[in-house]
Amino acid sequence: MDKRKRAGLRTWIEVDKKALKNNYQVFRSIVPKKCRLMSVVKSNAYGHGLIDFSKEISRLGIDWLGVDSVIEALALRKAGIKKPILVLGHTLPEMLKLAIENDISITVPSFEVLDALKKIKVKKPAKIHIKVDTGMGRQGFLVSDLTKILNQLKVNRQALNVEIEGLYTHLAAAKNPAFPKYTMTQVEIFKKWVNAFEEVGFNPIKHAAASSGTLIFPDTHFDLVRIGIAMYGLWPSLEVEAFCKDKLKLQPVLSWKTVVGEIKKLPKGSKIGYDLTETLTKDSLVAICPIGYWHGFPRALSSIGWVLVGGKKCRVLGRVSMDMIIVDVSGISPNPRIGDEVVILGRQSGEEVSADELARLADTTNYETITRINPLIKRFYV
């Protein structure tokens, strides 16, 4: 990226629009034409920037956007985004009216939320998606609640002033194609709910699949699929990657970069960083980069993480500090200079540091690696 665009920035994110278009087209190609696509943009679009990512995926033709909260949904409406939006997470009672007034669909996972809806005084109905817990043990009505929820929805249809727009569940074990039994058990339970709702005259949008289900279990597609991590070009699990990589090509969308802030030569035996956890075993050239765990670079990567400098992998030395890391740049030719670009996540001259690699080193997942990148860091769509 042109240095003039990121002038004044010590660290920044680049989001590749061509890679995003590729991923979008992959999912359009594997679901039925009548099946709608939701891009899950919760949690700052998994670190990619809520507003800009939502605008870009909307331009590509996405049907729905999925967020965690009414606050996120309102931010999208304020930015002029008119696509249907579903709040997937918990909605506070005091936020229900704002959701209804701004044409935001909400998840109803409990009788308490239904009771709260009865107290809302607005002219137009609330658009709701009934959430069913078919075996995740998280959000949603239990299987034993089916008769009660249908009775409440039928008896209180006018009092509730709701439009039953959707009915959905979430799959707990769809990330491993070798063990389909639990997933298909969840699907069969969900189908019973679908049949029961349709028998009493409701015709909601049915959805169950997130990225993994969409990729490897076609029977979970129903009327809509919710694509999260895979829309950003990352595989939901190693098992899904192994199952799909020869048939489908996802492209990571995000690169994270910083600069060399300082360079120094340190002799063998020098202590590095807080708590003196590392001692140099040889004379070394080190670079100090102005990012740390505040920016989202995990402290767990102390002494084991990598960045790219001059197209070479350079190891993090000692502790990751709040706002700085020290990296070994010995042996790079020509020697790095202050201001040189450093790649934290992404590619440089044929080398790559991936979110999956950093996640394995930090004993976490690629989901956490990207979503915990500080939202204050500037994102550029390139």
Side-chain angles (χ1 to χ4, degrees):
M1 190 178 75
D2 190 335
K3 284 186 177 182
R4 291 172 294 181
K5 287 187 177 180
R6 48 96 166 172
L9 297 176
R10 303 186 305 175
T11 185
W12 65 97
I13 302 289
E14 294 176 15
V15 180
D16 186 337
K17 293 195 286 187
K18 286 185 179 179
L20 176 56
K21 183 178 181 179
N22 170 81
N23 302 337
Y24 172 79
Q25 290 174 337
V26 164
F27 284 100
R28 277 295 183 206
S29 72
I30 65 173
V31 300
K33 287 186 177 181
K34 291 183 179 180
C35 182
R36 284 159 274 196
L37 272 185
M38 174 187 288
S39 182
V40 180
V41 296
K42 65 180 182 177
S43 305
N44 200 33
Y46 288 48
H48 293 66
L50 173 66
I51 303 299
D52 288 338
F53 187 88
S54 298
K55 286 182 176 179
E56 189 61 32
I57 199 70
S58 295
R59 275 193 286 269
L60 289 173
I62 203 72
D63 302 304
W64 278 78
L65 298 170
V67 299
D68 177 58
S69 67
V70 174
I71 294 295
E72 289 178 340
L74 289 172
L76 294 181
R77 288 288 184 249
K78 187 176 180 181
I81 292 171
K82 301 186 186 305
K83 293 285 183 179
I85 299 172
L86 173 61
V87 175
L88 299 162
H90 175 62
T91 297
L92 297 168
E94 59 266 32
M95 301 301 288
L96 290 171
K97 186 176 181 181
L98 276 173
I100 298 166
E101 291 173 342
N102 287 276
D103 197 28
I104 296 164
S105 304
I106 62 164
T107 292
V108 174
S110 68
F111 292 106
E112 287 76 14
V113 178
L114 275 182
D115 291 339
L117 281 167
K118 293 177 188 176
K119 302 172 185 177
I120 305 298
K121 304 300 180 186
V122 289
K123 291 182 179 180
K124 59 182 180 179
K127 293 181 179 178
I128 66 172
H129 288 232
I130 301 294
K131 179 75 175 287
V132 187
D133 179 4
T134 57
M136 181 79 169
R138 205 170 64 173
Q139 261 186 329
F141 291 97
L142 296 172
V143 173
S144 56
D145 293 326
L146 177 55
T147 300
K148 183 179 177 182
I149 183 66
L150 281 177
N151 286 337
Q152 285 217 11
L153 291 174
K154 288 187 295 182
V155 172
N156 296 310
R157 191 176 297 196
Q158 289 185 333
L160 277 171
N161 193 22
V162 298
E163 176 188 340
I164 302 166
E165 184 178 50
L167 174 68
Y168 78 108
T169 192
H170 194 61
L171 304 175
K175 292 182 182 180
N176 193 333
F179 300 100
K181 184 176 179 180
Y182 197 83
T183 296
M184 298 322 295
T185 298
Q186 282 191 266
V187 170
E188 290 308 310
I189 294 170
F190 183 58
K191 284 180 177 177
K192 290 179 181 177
W193 279 69
V194 169
N195 292 335
F197 269 65
E198 291 180 344
E199 283 174 5
V200 297
F202 296 126
N203 187 30
I205 299 167
K206 282 78 71 177
H207 48 113
S211 293
S212 298
T214 304
L215 287 164
I216 60 181
F217 292 107
D219 288 346
T220 68
H221 289 174
F222 292 99
D223 300 323
L224 176 147
V225 293
R226 308 182 302 268
I227 311 302
I229 193 86
M231 193 67 82
Y232 305 97
L234 302 178
W235 297 104
S237 69
L238 293 174
E239 294 84 359
V240 174
E241 180 180 11
F243 186 82
C244 296
K245 66 180 181 180
D246 293 333
K247 297 171 283 187
L248 305 171
K249 300 299 180 185
L250 297 181
Q251 297 177 10
V253 171
L254 178 148
S255 298
W256 181 12
K257 299 180 179 181
T258 185
V259 295
V260 172
E262 187 176 341
I263 295 174
K264 58 177 62 176
K265 294 179 180 178
L266 294 177
K268 176 181 177 180
S270 295
K271 305 293 184 182
I272 300 290
Y274 281 121
D275 305 319
L276 313 179
T277 57
E278 185 149 356
T279 303
L280 293 180
T281 58
K282 60 180 176 31
D283 293 347
S284 301
L285 187 69
V286 303
I288 294 86
C289 301
I291 62 102
Y293 56 78
W294 183 83
H295 300 85
F297 192 81
R299 193 169 182 269
L301 293 177
S302 298
S303 290
I304 58 172
W306 300 93
V307 299
L308 298 177
V309 184
K312 305 292 183 183
K313 279 191 170 182
C314 299
R315 184 171 64 86
V316 174
L317 298 171
R319 294 269 195 244
V320 173
S321 301
M322 186 182 294
D323 300 291
M324 296 184 206
I325 56 172
I326 305 162
V327 297
D328 185 357
V329 294
S330 305
I332 293 178
S333 181
N335 285 343
R337 296 178 297 176
I338 292 172
D340 281 359
E341 186 175 279
V342 177
V343 174
I344 304 163
L345 277 176
R347 292 183 175 273
Q348 188 183 64
S349 301
E351 273 285 3
E352 181 180 16
V353 176
S354 70
D356 294 299
E357 180 181 4
L358 291 187
R360 285 193 292 271
L361 290 172
D363 193 25
T364 184
T365 66
N366 52 11
Y367 291 80
E368 185 174 0
T369 300
I370 57 170
T371 56
R372 294 190 70 178
I373 299 173
N374 195 308
L376 297 181
I377 297 173
K378 176 69 176 176
R379 273 79 170 158
F380 293 95
Y381 277 66
V382 296

